[in-house]
Amino acid sequence: MAVPKAIVLPLFLVLCGAALGASAYEGYLRNGNFEESPKKTDMKKTVLIGKTALPEWETTGFVEYIAGGPQPGGMFFPVAHGVHAVRLGNEATISQKLKVKPGSLYSLTFGASRTCAQEEVLRVSVPPQTGDLPLQTLYNSFGGDVYAWAFVPKTSEVTVTFHNPGVQEDPACGPLLDAVAIKELVHPEYTKGNLVKNGGFEEGPHRLVNSTQGVLLPPKQEDVTSPLPGWIIESLKAVKFIDSKHFNVPFGNAAIELVAGKESAIAQVIRTSPGQTYSLSFVVGDAKNDCHGSMMVEAFAARDTLKVSHTSVGGGHVKTASFRFKALEARTRITFFSGFYHTKKSDIGSLCGPVIDQIVVSHVA
């Protein structure tokens, strides 16, 4: 019997993937961009009726299905990654079950923004892990921030849940969610001559194909499993994972932009020998994204520190810095943060900062 043409290509890709070693899964969740619309009978104006009204998702509470743009009452909802989005009102939830590999590292990527309350929070959970992302800080002036949140499942099936834990006077007030994707991340390994894992930031969360803003990585208080393998987001606010398609990246395909001054830091604990001297080198620059001014990246290792200044004119210039440190223990924490706060020259509502990349720690003979 002939094989239908519609399944020849997918079958070919599956077989090739099995033969060559299939890459980790990456892409939207089912109806992850919310473009598969509910039936008209499952809606009352914009409000979803019944827990299965939103295709592929289960909902509870006051959930709205909206189109981006001007809204009744004079509001404007930015839907940066498509046409449709969901808004989670008081105590509202959307969830979806996923098949996963227990013990593997996964990262969710999603577009999220607040709508009509100042202190809106988006709670993300994959049991037993949960995290609250405060949305009052807008990292760009036109909404549509993109976040990543990582988890390690303990079972082969998990439930991904987005929840609004707030209770506002207006029951519809709450976070806007406009796209959800997932990526299975690779646990980083050491490379020859470098004691830092993922020092070039090449392994990181999924980047939404229609997003140009980079991906915000929340601090460890909000996500104990970092979406940047090998690294701890050790700060009060997020750092930004940027790609070479939309930003100036010194090396490879990705880098980190420190977008919130001293509230935006990354760290890694590396293996060292007490009394041994090491060299720490890294690259500092700007993302060529209209971030101008006198920048400063501060690096720490054991008891040693280095401040690297960089004057940005928005041209994507970079410089290499290095210093030596003596290890005091068998584990040494290296930390990087921005000394100053910055906003874009033509858009003071959008946070930005210095870029770091290509971090290398090596033995000094």
Side-chain angles (χ1 to χ4, degrees):
M1 188 175 95
V3 178
K5 291 183 179 180
I7 66 171
V8 169
L9 181 59
L11 181 61
F12 173 76
L13 292 175
V14 169
L15 292 174
C16 286
L20 300 175
S23 60
Y25 174 74
E26 181 175 0
Y28 280 127
L29 271 61
R30 300 184 307 276
N31 196 22
N33 57 3
F34 307 115
E35 299 303 338
E36 186 179 344
S37 301
K39 298 176 183 177
K40 291 183 179 180
T41 53
D42 288 336
M43 296 180 65
K44 185 176 181 179
K45 294 185 177 179
T46 60
V47 180
L48 296 172
I49 302 170
K51 67 178 184 179
T52 59
L54 183 63
E56 304 292 352
W57 296 85
E58 187 171 298
T59 68
T60 60
F62 194 105
V63 180
E64 289 184 280
Y65 184 74
I66 61 99
Q71 306 295 315
M75 297 187 68
F76 182 93
F77 290 164
V79 178
H81 310 103
V83 177
H84 293 97
V86 293
R87 183 162 70 144
L88 306 179
N90 285 346
E91 296 287 356
T93 296
I94 68 167
S95 62
Q96 185 176 132
K97 293 185 183 298
L98 297 178
K99 296 289 186 181
V100 290
K101 301 174 188 174
S104 291
L105 175 61
Y106 292 88
S107 176
L108 298 168
T109 301
F110 47 91
S113 58
R114 60 179 168 89
T115 55
C116 51
Q118 182 67 29
E119 296 185 359
E120 292 179 15
V121 170
L122 181 63
R123 179 169 294 166
V124 189
S125 65
V126 178
Q129 188 177 328
T130 186
D132 286 359
L133 304 182
L135 300 180
Q136 58 262 46
T137 298
L138 298 178
Y139 289 83
N140 67 71
S141 62
F142 49 86
D145 282 329
V146 178
Y147 289 86
W149 191 85
F151 65 95
V152 177
K154 296 183 180 296
T155 57
S156 60
E157 184 178 74
V158 297
T159 300
V160 174
T161 301
F162 296 92
H163 174 64
N164 173 17
V167 178
Q168 305 293 334
E169 184 177 347
D170 180 351
C173 262
L176 193 72
L177 192 65
D178 72 348
V180 185
I182 191 170
K183 180 180 179 182
E184 183 183 347
L185 298 170
V186 176
H187 290 282
E189 301 290 339
Y190 292 110
T191 55
K192 187 175 181 180
N194 190 6
L195 297 176
V196 178
K197 292 182 178 181
N198 198 20
F201 310 113
E202 293 302 294
E203 184 63 21
H206 175 80
R207 296 178 285 270
L208 298 176
V209 293
N210 52 353
S211 175
T212 62
Q213 296 305 308
V215 183
L216 295 167
L217 312 181
K220 63 181 181 181
Q221 297 92 325
E222 299 161 18
D223 183 8
V224 295
T225 305
S226 171
L228 187 64
W231 291 92
I232 305 164
I233 314 304
E234 196 169 60
S235 49
L236 296 176
K237 293 218 168 35
V239 301
K240 184 175 283 188
F241 181 70
I242 61 174
D243 63 275
S244 57
K245 183 178 179 180
H246 302 104
F247 299 85
N248 182 73
V249 169
F251 290 91
N253 298 313
I256 292 296
E257 185 182 11
L258 301 172
V259 292
K262 293 184 178 181
E263 295 179 284
S264 187
I266 64 169
Q268 186 172 142
V269 179
I270 62 173
R271 296 178 180 178
T272 51
S273 298
Q276 169 72 43
T277 299
Y278 298 86
S279 172
L280 170 57
S281 65
F282 55 100
V283 173
V284 174
D286 67 272
K288 201 175 182 180
N289 61 344
D290 199 37
C291 199
H292 292 229
S294 298
M295 298 180 174
M296 177 79 74
V297 171
E298 299 188 36
F300 293 84
R303 291 178 180 170
D304 297 284
T305 182
L306 178 68
K307 294 182 178 181
V308 182
S309 60
H310 173 69
T311 301
S312 171
V313 294
H317 300 101
V318 300
K319 65 195 301 184
T320 300
S322 65
F323 70 101
R324 293 185 175 187
F325 67 92
K326 181 176 287 188
L328 305 176
E329 300 176 354
R331 297 288 188 272
T332 298
R333 182 181 298 270
I334 59 173
T335 305
F336 301 84
F337 65 79
S338 171
F340 307 132
Y341 294 86
H342 301 274
T343 58
K344 294 183 179 180
K345 184 177 180 181
S346 60
D347 181 8
I348 61 172
S350 293
L351 299 178
C352 60
V355 170
I356 56 173
D357 200 359
Q358 205 67 5
I359 298 171
V360 177
V361 173
S362 57
H363 292 272
V364 174

